[in-house]
């Protein structure tokens, strides 16, 4: 047994190792930090909650065009405290990402304490295996990005730790675990999948003997989920967010989804190795021993959750961002891998030695594979940020539209994040994220999920859109503009001294027409499309 003095020295060594790992992870995340357009959708919802008391995209229009309720509420708190939402999102995301690593260390330690006397040499390799998180460039990037990716991953990891890494597996998880699991239901719509796998794991561990206690324990997350569902039905009139339908989640798109997941695996082939400890522990559990069954639940069940999540990503067709949906569960897979290595490491036979070699092989592969490949129409974090500030300058365009157009102008746009956020104008999303009529359309031609359904001119006119910013957002120099026509349908808006943005003047009003005529330095009308 480890005495008090040895335990204190061990804790000191662990603290130093964790501090180094967290420091390197923070540096890695900072080197890949970025912000993307979709984050500004949540920012706009949060701002409208603070300014108007409504969790909406446009005041008075109750549509759930976001998919991260609790994250958006936290951003609203930051805005209320006068904190820049970009700063708040990066800090919350980065802290969540580091939290995954910290919980991973606790997970490994708890397993080693459960399987025998805690020794430093048994701890080194499993903790080092957590380095696969910062080694992965895609995971490091989505420590930030402005979305709830790392926050959700942290919540899953914490829930699994609280539910399964207990000193006495015969005891039910505590109330904190129930609250965390229920809180996950407020973060992402995929959270019921986590709840189902946790229920399966606890059912395997406790069986019928503790069924009544399990039902009482699950009453907490169930109550949270039911209350949230009831509120959504009352507030938005729907259980699923509008984004689910806009991104064609109700129709399978395996052709593109399998390419998306497959390219991720080919970019980081060591991911396949991370499922190996779960497979070995599941094989051992066939003998039916309590220790083996517990090991299969601790490391095997979360790996099954990751596989199910990846199958869902393939079903919906992936995404246009660099493996963002997979980054919800890649950190969970890394922690599961480290937990499985810790469990197998103490077996003392060839399996234990093989587990150590497997971890070192995975780490070496993680250090080697640093250049992700991309399927068609999938963009890196750097490109996504360039769209905001450098290449396409969506943030500046939004700010400029808010300056030159009257505040009661209604616009429509393709990128529904930074332009609506910085303009402050009432906005119709061209691709239907905040428009149920568009989101529920059938897909005519498959392309990029979230960009397959589009509003036509008749719909935009019905919605009262004055200025339609074309999805491709063509821009021209002053000497490239077509001949002027004061009654023309085409409107060119000066967004920089040497640059005009092409748009259409749809719903024409006398007040807006006079405004355009009174500001010739900012607007150019023509009857011709450039």
């Amino acid at each position: 047994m480890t005495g008090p003095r040895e335990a204190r020295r061990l804790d000191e060594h662990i603290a130093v190792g964790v501090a180094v790992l967290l420091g390197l992870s923070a540096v890695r995340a900072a080197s890949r930090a970025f912000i993307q357009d979709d984050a500004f959708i949540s920012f706009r919802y949060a701002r409208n909650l603070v300014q108007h008391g409504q969790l909406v995209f446009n005041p008075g229009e109750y549509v759930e065009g976001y998919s991260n309720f609790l994250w958006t509420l936290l951003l609203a708190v930051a805005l209320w405290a006068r904190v820049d939402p970009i700063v708040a999102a990066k800090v919350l995301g980065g802290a969540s990402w580091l939290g995954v690593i910290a919980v991973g260390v606790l997970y490994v330690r708890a397993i080693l304490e459960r399987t025998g006397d805690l020794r430093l040499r048994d701890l080194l390799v499993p903790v080092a295996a957590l380095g696969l998180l910062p080694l992965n460039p895609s995971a490091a990037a989505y420590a930030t990005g402005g979305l709830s990716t790392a926050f959700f991953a942290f919540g899953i990891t914490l829930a699994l730790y609280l539910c399964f890494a207990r000193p006495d597996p015969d005891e039910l998880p505590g109330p904190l675990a129930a609250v965390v699991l229920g809180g996950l239901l407020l973060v992402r719509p995929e959270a019921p999948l986590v709840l189902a796998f946790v229920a399966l794991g606890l059912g395997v561990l406790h069986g019928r003997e503790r069924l009544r206690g399990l039902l009482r324990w699950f009453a907490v997350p169930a109550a949270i989920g039911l209350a949230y569902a009831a509120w959504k039905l009352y507030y938005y009139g729907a259980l699923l967010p509008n984004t689910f339908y806009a991104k064609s989640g109700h129709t399978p798109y395996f052709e593109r989804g399998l390419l998306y997941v497959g390219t991720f695996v080919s970019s980081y082939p060591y991911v396949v190795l991370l499922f190996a400890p779960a497979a070995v522990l599941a094989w051992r559990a066939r003998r039916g021993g309590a220790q083996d069954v517990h090991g299969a639940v601790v490391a095997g069940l979360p790996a099954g959750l990751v596989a199910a999540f990846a199958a869902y990503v393939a079903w919906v067709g992936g995404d246009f961002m660099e493996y963002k949906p997979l980054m919800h569960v890649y950190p969970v897979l890394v922690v599961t891998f480290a937990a499985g290595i810790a469990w197998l490491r103490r077996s003392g036979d060839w399996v234990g030695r093989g587990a150590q070699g497997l971890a070192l092989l995975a780490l070496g592969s993680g250090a080697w594979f640093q250049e992700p490949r991309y399927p068609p129409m999938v963009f890196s974090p750097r490109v996504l940020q360039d769209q905001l500030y450098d290449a396409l300058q969506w943030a500046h365009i939004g700010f400029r539209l808010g300056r030159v157009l009257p505040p009661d102008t209604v616009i429509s746009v393709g990128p529904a994040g930074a332009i609506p956020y910085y303009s402050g104008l009432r906005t119709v999303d061209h691709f239907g994220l905040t428009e149920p009529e568009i989101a529920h359309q059938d897909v005519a031609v498959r392309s990029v999920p979230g960009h397959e359904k589009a509003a036509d001119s008749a719909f935009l006119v019905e919605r009262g859109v004055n200025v339609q910013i074309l999805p491709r957002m063509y821009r021209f120099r002053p000497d490239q503009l077509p001949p002027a026509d004061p009654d023309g349908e085409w409107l060119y808006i000066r967004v920089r001294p040497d640059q005009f943005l092409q748009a259409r003047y749809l719903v024409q009003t006398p007040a807006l027409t006079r405004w355009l005529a009174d500001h010739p330095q900012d607007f150019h009308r023509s009857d011709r499309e450039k």
Side-chain angles (χ1 to χ4, degrees):
M1 294 294 293
T2 303
R5 185 175 179 181
E6 289 78 5
R8 186 166 56 253
R9 290 187 62 187
L10 179 61
D11 286 338
E12 291 172 355
H13 285 101
I14 292 174
V16 171
V18 171
V20 171
L21 184 58
L22 291 177
L24 293 174
S25 301
V27 171
R28 175 71 158 171
S31 70
R32 298 273 292 169
F34 78 111
I35 195 74
Q36 63 194 68
D37 189 66
D38 279 22
F40 288 86
I41 299 174
S42 294
F43 296 170
R44 179 164 164 127
Y45 272 88
R47 185 176 65 188
N48 281 333
L49 179 61
V50 173
Q51 294 182 350
H52 304 289
Q54 299 176 6
L55 193 56
V56 295
F57 191 73
N58 293 313
E61 299 178 6
Y62 292 87
V63 179
E64 188 182 4
Y66 61 94
S67 54
N68 45 19
F69 173 73
L70 185 56
W71 177 258
T72 303
L73 290 188
L74 293 174
L75 294 175
V77 172
L79 281 164
W80 175 79
R82 301 185 182 279
V83 177
D84 186 327
I86 296 177
V87 174
K90 287 186 174 182
V91 170
L92 284 171
S96 299
W97 198 63
L98 296 179
V100 171
I101 297 174
V103 172
V105 174
L106 294 176
Y107 210 142
V108 167
R109 179 182 177 126
I111 287 172
L112 291 175
E113 288 179 334
R114 172 74 180 85
T115 56
D117 196 19
L118 187 63
R119 296 172 298 184
L120 183 61
R121 67 172 181 268
D122 294 323
L123 197 63
L124 287 177
V125 173
V127 170
L130 295 172
L132 287 166
L133 187 55
L135 279 175
N136 187 288
S138 300
Y142 282 100
T144 57
L147 296 175
S148 59
T149 312
F151 186 62
F152 188 49
F154 171 68
I156 297 174
T157 308
L158 182 60
L160 293 174
Y161 166 71
L162 293 173
C163 288
F164 298 125
R166 305 183 309 282
D168 185 358
D170 295 328
E171 293 293 326
L172 290 175
L176 178 59
V179 172
V180 170
L181 195 60
L184 276 177
L185 298 172
L186 310 181
V187 181
R188 292 283 311 175
E190 300 90 350
L193 186 63
V194 182
L195 188 67
F197 271 83
V198 168
L200 175 62
L202 292 177
V204 169
L205 289 178
H206 299 286
R208 295 182 179 180
E209 297 81 5
R210 306 295 300 276
L211 180 60
R212 185 172 298 179
L214 276 175
L215 292 176
R216 284 198 301 267
W217 186 85
F218 271 106
V220 174
I224 294 173
L226 289 173
Y228 179 46
W231 175 82
K232 289 179 68 170
L233 285 172
Y234 168 76
Y235 202 78
Y236 295 120
L239 279 177
L240 292 173
N242 195 61
T243 55
F244 174 81
Y245 301 101
K247 294 183 177 180
S248 307
H250 61 299
T251 54
Y253 191 7
F254 280 114
E255 180 181 355
R256 191 177 192 279
L258 291 174
L259 176 63
Y260 185 85
V261 175
T263 308
F264 169 76
V265 174
S266 68
S267 297
Y268 309 115
Y270 59 87
V271 168
V272 178
L273 300 177
L274 306 189
F275 290 93
V280 173
L281 287 167
W283 174 71
R284 284 190 161 194
R286 295 183 310 163
R287 294 179 298 186
Q291 189 89 332
D292 292 324
V293 170
H294 189 208
V297 170
V298 166
L301 197 77
L305 168 64
V306 172
F309 200 97
Y312 168 74
V313 172
W315 183 59
V316 300
D319 199 82
F320 66 92
M321 307 177 206
E322 181 189 309
Y323 308 124
K324 192 270 290 184
L326 296 173
M327 291 304 109
H328 289 123
V329 292
Y330 173 77
V332 179
L333 182 60
V334 170
V335 171
T336 296
F337 176 70
I341 293 297
W343 199 283
L344 294 173
R345 179 78 174 84
R346 295 305 301 271
S347 63
D349 56 12
W350 65 269
V351 175
R353 293 189 294 273
Q356 180 174 332
L358 181 68
L360 296 176
L361 176 61
L363 282 167
S365 301
W368 179 263
F369 292 99
Q370 290 292 306
E371 294 295 332
R373 293 190 285 271
Y374 305 103
M377 297 302 294
V378 172
F379 304 105
S380 70
R382 188 57 56 196
V383 170
L384 294 173
Q385 177 159 290
D386 286 347
Q387 291 173 340
L388 287 177
Y389 300 114
D390 297 323
L392 301 183
Q393 303 171 353
W394 291 343
H396 173 77
I397 289 173
F399 177 77
R400 182 66 178 164
L401 293 178
R403 291 287 299 272
V404 302
L405 289 170
D408 59 349
T409 304
V410 180
I411 65 172
S412 73
V413 296
I419 293 176
Y421 180 80
Y422 284 113
S423 72
L425 301 172
R426 183 174 291 271
T427 304
V428 174
D429 174 34
H430 183 80
F431 295 114
L433 283 179
T434 59
E435 301 295 329
E437 294 87 347
I438 303 301
H440 284 78
Q441 290 178 356
D442 293 328
V443 177
V445 179
R446 305 277 1 195
S447 59
V448 181
H451 300 79
E452 299 170 303
K453 306 172 184 181
D456 57 21
S457 297
F459 176 81
L460 296 178
V461 169
E462 182 184 345
R463 289 284 279 117
V465 172
N466 305 116
V467 178
Q468 178 193 7
I469 309 299
L470 301 180
R472 292 187 178 274
M473 304 187 69
Y474 296 117
R475 280 164 283 182
F476 305 97
R477 298 191 310 270
D479 62 327
Q480 294 176 315
L481 296 177
D485 182 343
D487 299 319
E489 167 190 7
W490 295 95
L491 179 64
Y492 298 83
I493 306 169
R494 188 187 295 272
V495 292
R496 291 193 178 278
D498 61 344
Q499 194 175 87
F500 281 80
L501 176 69
Q502 186 183 49
R504 290 180 65 198
Y505 187 13
L506 288 183
V507 178
Q508 303 184 13
T509 65
L512 183 54
T513 300
R514 284 194 302 271
W515 179 278
L516 299 177
D518 291 343
H519 297 80
Q521 72 278 11
D522 296 321
F523 305 101
H524 178 87
R525 292 185 65 182
S526 177
D527 62 347
R528 300 184 190 177
E529 177 185 4
K530 181 65 178 176

